[in-house]
Amino acid sequence: MRTRLRRSLRTRLALLAGIAMLLLNVVVSGFVMFGIHDDVADVRASDVSGRALRVLLMVKRNQLPQVLEPLGLDGIQVVDPAGRAVAWTPNLAGAPRQTAHIPRDQANYVSRSCDLPAFPGRCELVVALRAYQPEGTWIIYAFDPAVPWFVSPQVVLFQIVVSALLVGLTFFGVSRVVARTLAPVSAITKRLAEITADGGGLRVPVPDTDDEIRALAETANQTLERLETARARLEAAMEQQRRFAGDASHDLRSPITAMRAQVEEAMLHPEETDWRETSTQVLASLDRLQAIVTDLLTLTKLDAGAPSDHRPVDLGELVTAETARPRAKRVVTGPEEGVVVMGDRLQLTRLLTNLLDNAERHAETQVTVTVRQEGGRAVLEVLDDGAGIEPAHRELVFQRFTRLDDSRNRDAGGTGLGLPIAREIATAHHGTLTIEDSPKGARFVLRLPLA
């Protein structure tokens, strides 16, 4: 039960509201009793005074008997001018004077006295009336129970009943309001509990109210949507990683298999083998293997976000330096001076080299490299005069270990990682590398933020 109370927000709030209402009723009841106590006491004093007035009239008419009727009071005692008790009700017969309170400047006097001789252990309301006679002043004392602090048991009972009703209504009302308020939360909790790893597309219900719970539901749905997107991206990345691992294994196995075959064939016929030619073939396979491993290491560093030294790099100067080396195809440059970007010079050199190598393998006679500023960005273009790339295949060439059929036929020695590495370097420098339309050949366009 205690565990349930700790876990139930509805019950706890209802209990707190009930306790608050109970405390409020106690305070209000105290003020009410304090307010009506004096009024009830005044009414009681007026009633006692009215009954004692009958005895005063008897004194005025000289018709006072020694034994008086109680008149519904606890007692009546008449004191003559000499201070002697001369008349009384039967319960005060022979009793001494009960009190010495004497009204002086007024005709009557009301007081509250406790432990009087005839009323031990009790508090009495004492009303004293002054009767003026020729022989002196007579005093009529009337006694009746004093009004207690709680006024009467009926008032206490009424207060208890009212408080109980208010506390019960408060508990019930708050419980209902909290239950209706938290009903959407329960629905959200239930729906979230139904979501599993394969539960894509599920959303929590959004209540019609415009409050914090609606904001919670909308935020939960946005979070679920982001999680689904992240899961889709993760699955795509894992699938790409699996394909990458498979393609890497295949591309690594090819030169290893070739070297093994060459060595085994040479060992079968050692006396007939041209070891220089065999060594040349093995070295070629080793070069290919080394190129693949180097590219794999480069991609791993780029994927891991390895820190690089970004400094101002003049793209025109970089192009001039890299194109000065002799190549199999003619390279025409048109660099613009003062096109400076912030980047890692070694990585940008690797990007340009990969683009030049790719263009050289596919160009017929010429490769054109230009550098310029355009729209507040640095633009580097590498254009070859080869067959070009179909628009449908322009993104495929940036996938790892992807080579188009024509490319495979013309360039069996490529690793299939040059262009993916170039794009990763562009992305790491907050730029883009795309293939755009050209009249002839493939036109690779690199855009980087200016320094």
Side-chain angles (χ1 to χ4, degrees), residues 17 29 43 59-60 118 133 282 285 301 327 351 377 384 444:
S29 298
V43 172
V59 174
K60 288 288 188 178
Q133 291 293 96
V282 171
S285 299
K301 291 180 180 180
R327 288 186 174 271
L351 185 154
R377 298 174 73 86
D384 64 68
F444 289 81

Side-chain angles (χ1 to χ4, degrees), residues 115-358:
D115 293 325
L116 295 176
F119 308 102
R122 294 166 53 183
C123 291
E124 293 288 319
L125 178 67
V126 181
V127 176
L129 300 181
R130 185 191 296 270
Y132 298 99
Q133 291 293 96
E135 65 275 14
T137 301
W138 293 61
I139 301 176
I140 299 93
Y141 291 105
F143 305 96
D144 206 43
V147 179
W149 64 269
F150 53 85
V151 181
S152 69
Q154 291 81 0
V155 173
V156 175
L157 181 61
F158 176 78
Q159 294 285 355
I160 291 175
V161 172
V162 171
S163 297
L165 288 175
L166 290 177
V167 170
L169 288 175
T170 301
F171 183 90
F172 178 75
V174 171
S175 179
R176 290 292 302 274
V177 170
V178 173
R180 293 181 59 182
T181 303
L182 296 182
V185 177
S186 300
I188 293 173
T189 304
K190 182 179 179 181
R191 183 60 63 85
L192 288 175
E194 297 173 354
I195 298 176
T196 61
D198 299 328
L202 285 180
R203 294 293 184 271
V204 299
V206 179
D208 297 331
T209 58
D210 187 13
D211 53 14
E212 291 81 359
I213 296 180
R214 180 185 180 89
L216 172 64
E218 292 175 347
T219 303
N221 285 336
Q222 294 171 2
T223 303
L224 290 173
E225 185 176 355
R226 288 195 296 269
L227 288 176
E228 287 184 4
T229 304
R231 186 183 65 178
R233 291 177 179 174
L234 179 60
E235 291 177 352
M238 293 177 64
E239 179 62 26
Q240 181 181 4
Q241 189 68 21
R242 285 193 292 268
R243 291 198 305 268
F244 176 74
D247 294 339
S249 301
H250 178 270
D251 278 46
L252 287 172
R253 186 168 57 247
S254 297
I256 294 175
T257 303
M259 286 187 293
R260 183 180 182 88
Q262 292 161 359
V263 173
E264 288 179 348
E265 182 179 358
M267 292 180 67
L268 287 175
H269 308 285
E271 67 282 352
E272 301 177 2
T273 301
D274 186 348
W275 289 102
R276 180 177 295 276
E277 181 182 355
T278 302
S279 300
T280 302
Q281 295 175 353
V282 171
L283 282 175
S285 299
L286 285 174
D287 289 339
R288 174 170 169 74
L289 183 62
Q290 183 179 8
I292 295 175
V293 172
T294 302
D295 286 347
L296 287 174
L297 290 175
T298 302
L299 278 176
T300 302
K301 291 180 180 180
L302 291 172
D303 291 339
S308 56
D309 186 14
H310 281 212
R311 295 183 180 181
V313 178
D314 190 321
L315 287 183
E317 178 187 346
L318 183 68
V319 169
T320 302
E322 290 303 315
T323 55
R325 301 175 184 178
R327 288 186 174 271
K329 304 292 174 62
R330 180 168 175 259
V331 179
V332 179
T333 61
E336 180 180 320
E337 296 181 357
V339 182
V340 180
V341 298
M342 293 297 295
D344 188 313
R345 187 178 184 89
L346 292 178
Q347 291 186 2
L348 293 177
T349 301
R350 178 66 183 276
L351 185 154
L352 177 59
T353 302
N354 288 0
L355 293 181
L356 290 173
D357 291 344
N358 178 77

